Amino acid sequence: MAAERNESALAAQQRAVAAQARVSRARAFFFPELTATGTYTRRPNQTTREVGGQQVIIQRYNAFGANLVARMTLFDARGFPLYRAAKRESEAAGMESVEARRQVSFEAANAFLITLQEQQVFQAAEQRIAFARQSLADAQARAKGGLASTNDVTRAEVEVATAEVELISARNLAQTSRLELGFLLVEPVEGALAAPQQLLEDAARPLDTHDSIIPGAVERRPDILAGQLRVESLEANAWEPLARLLPALGVSATYRLTNEQGLAGRTGDGFLAADLTWNLFDGGERYAERHERVALARAAELELEQGTRRVDVDIQRARVALENARAALTQSELATRAAKQNAEEQGILYRQGLSTALTLADASLRLFEAEVALARSRYSLGVALLGLRAAVGLDPLGKEP
């Protein structure tokens, strides 16, 4: 949905369409041009002459004329590099459109995972406040029965208030992340979101199982391919100033129609002409433009080399992030199980008078923090896998764009 609706992807697609139009314009250089013009002239006087005993109208009151001119360039060396440059530029724009769709897809995928994460944090906050309210009820009952002091009730009330603040914060973050996801999808996000189990299962697999997608990353990355095509376009464009050293040969045909026969007695006349244009000296402009375009092509080539070298760094950083995320998830799962068991035990002990309200509140806080860390770790693992797929030139689903 994001790739099809988001304005960034659509704008890149329109730029590709514009680049293709420039190819058509460059191709028009090799085709003939046909021009038709018509004129009407109103004169205050009419001019006649006697020729061979007949009156011939030289100029009429109302004169009509039409010209048809066909022209074709037989040879102009500039057209070839300009056409090649436009074609490579169009191909580069097409690759950039693919890359824009890919990046928008990753943005939407990341936003989707973050939305799920914040929803789970919100659920953890709801569980915390429910636990805090139950603890408050227990503290009030024990204090009423003389089994605990009012300090326990006060401590439980503070825990409830703190849990309510966390709940409000978690709810606002969940709503904000949902709005961001809707912005990327260009459509409001309603209802519950289903966790992408396949992605999360793939992310949880051993790290070396993902190494098979790394080879060929440079050849797959649309941004690298677009950079290569753009360099070729700039190199072709750099040859155009040198092409001006050669002469241009053209041919034209003109046919004229009029209602004034004149002394020649013809209403139609035409001619064919050939012209050779050779710009022998232009003040050095062509050489200056050549040097400028060569420098721009070289600069683009250097940037491409840097971007190509960066691919390996991106892949290694993504692998490290994926490995760290797997380790963090394992630790979070262990911590959550321990915190849940501790909270349950402290609740039982408190109701039996063997624990304090402070210890119970601390156990509740530790459980909440562990559940939040687990939610973040679970979906951070998915984000890490998306990062690896982005680095090797795949789409969020692990396919070639």
Side-chain angles (χ1 to χ4, degrees), residues 182-384:
F183 173 77
L184 290 169
L185 301 181
V186 199
E187 180 175 309
V189 179
E190 304 293 345
L193 301 179
Q197 295 299 333
Q198 186 62 51
L199 175 69
L200 299 178
E201 291 174 3
D202 290 344
R205 288 187 295 147
L207 187 62
D208 55 3
T209 61
H210 301 290
D211 291 343
S212 60
I213 66 176
I214 295 177
V218 173
E219 291 76 15
R220 278 196 305 266
R221 287 270 295 258
D223 55 333
I224 301 298
L225 297 177
Q228 293 172 350
L229 292 168
R230 200 167 294 283
V231 168
E232 293 179 14
S233 174
L234 291 171
E235 289 175 345
N237 199 42
W239 283 103
E240 187 271 335
L242 294 183
R244 302 177 202 171
L245 293 170
L246 300 177
L249 177 63
V251 62
S252 63
T254 302
Y255 191 77
R256 179 176 180 272
L257 291 171
T258 181
N259 64 341
E260 297 176 328
Q261 298 180 358
L263 297 177
R266 292 192 297 271
T267 57
D269 195 7
F271 63 88
L272 185 66
D275 59 83
L276 183 69
T277 305
W278 197 348
N279 189 353
L280 299 178
F281 181 68
D282 63 353
E285 179 181 352
R286 62 175 71 114
Y287 298 108
E289 289 191 23
R290 163 71 177 172
H291 294 156
E292 177 191 9
R293 297 181 187 184
V294 168
L296 291 175
R298 179 55 181 160
E301 186 177 8
L302 291 172
E303 292 173 352
L304 175 62
E305 291 177 2
Q306 183 185 47
T308 303
R309 290 193 302 108
R310 187 71 190 177
V311 171
D312 290 334
V313 178
D314 291 342
I315 292 174
Q316 293 305 317
R317 288 173 61 91
R319 292 183 81 256
V320 169
L322 183 58
E323 186 175 11
N324 292 341
R326 292 184 73 252
L329 178 60
T330 301
Q331 192 276 336
S332 296
E333 289 174 343
L334 293 174
T336 301
R337 284 198 294 268
K340 181 177 293 186
Q341 182 178 358
N342 180 57
E344 292 174 352
E345 291 177 353
Q346 292 300 326
I348 295 173
L349 292 174
Y350 181 75
R351 285 190 290 272
Q352 294 176 350
L354 301 177
S355 181
T356 64
L358 181 62
T359 304
L360 183 62
D362 183 70
S364 174
L365 176 61
R366 295 291 178 267
L367 176 59
F368 172 71
E369 291 176 344
E371 290 178 340
V372 169
L374 178 60
R376 298 192 189 283
S377 298
R378 179 180 292 115
Y379 292 109
S380 293
L381 184 61
V383 170

Side-chain angles (χ1 to χ4, degrees), residues 32-226:
E33 295 180 359
L34 180 62
T35 304
T37 58
T39 60
Y40 165 72
T41 305
R42 172 64 182 176
R43 300 188 179 95
N45 299 301
Q46 182 170 275
T47 303
T48 60
R49 294 289 186 272
E50 184 175 340
V51 179
Q54 295 182 348
Q55 292 290 327
V56 177
I57 300 176
I58 304 299
Q59 291 183 335
R60 294 181 178 272
Y61 288 113
N62 299 299
F64 298 93
N67 284 327
L68 292 175
V69 180
R71 176 173 177 78
M72 182 172 184
T73 301
L74 298 180
F75 176 78
D76 191 335
R78 297 178 304 158
F80 300 99
L82 291 176
Y83 176 69
R84 176 177 172 79
K87 191 172 182 180
R88 291 293 180 268
E89 181 70 20
S90 175
E91 293 172 353
M95 281 296 170
E96 289 175 347
S97 176
V98 173
E99 177 65 7
R101 288 172 58 89
R102 193 174 77 99
Q103 292 300 328
V104 166
S105 298
F106 276 108
E107 289 180 17
N110 288 329
F112 187 86
L113 291 177
I114 292 174
T115 301
L116 286 170
Q117 168 189 296
E118 297 303 334
Q119 283 183 351
Q120 194 158 338
V121 170
F122 176 61
Q123 292 172 359
E126 288 182 321
Q127 293 175 0
R128 179 189 179 186
I129 196 170
F131 187 83
R133 287 170 178 169
Q134 179 61 46
S135 299
L136 175 60
D138 292 342
Q140 290 173 339
R142 288 177 56 80
K144 185 176 181 180
L147 300 177
S149 68
T150 56
N151 289 336
D152 284 0
V153 176
T154 303
R155 185 64 187 85
E157 290 174 343
V158 171
E159 174 62 18
V160 169
T162 304
E164 288 177 346
V165 172
E166 292 289 348
L167 179 65
I168 294 172
S169 177
R171 183 181 62 221
N172 291 338
L173 286 176
Q175 292 176 346
T176 302
S177 62
R178 187 176 285 264
L179 289 174
E180 290 292 341
L181 178 59
F183 173 77
L184 290 169
L185 301 181
V186 199
E187 180 175 309
V189 179
E190 304 293 345
L193 301 179
Q197 295 299 333
Q198 186 62 51
L199 175 69
L200 299 178
E201 291 174 3
D202 290 344
R205 288 187 295 147
L207 187 62
D208 55 3
T209 61
H210 301 290
D211 291 343
S212 60
I213 66 176
I214 295 177
V218 173
E219 291 76 15
R220 278 196 305 266
R221 287 270 295 258
D223 55 333
I224 301 298
L225 297 177

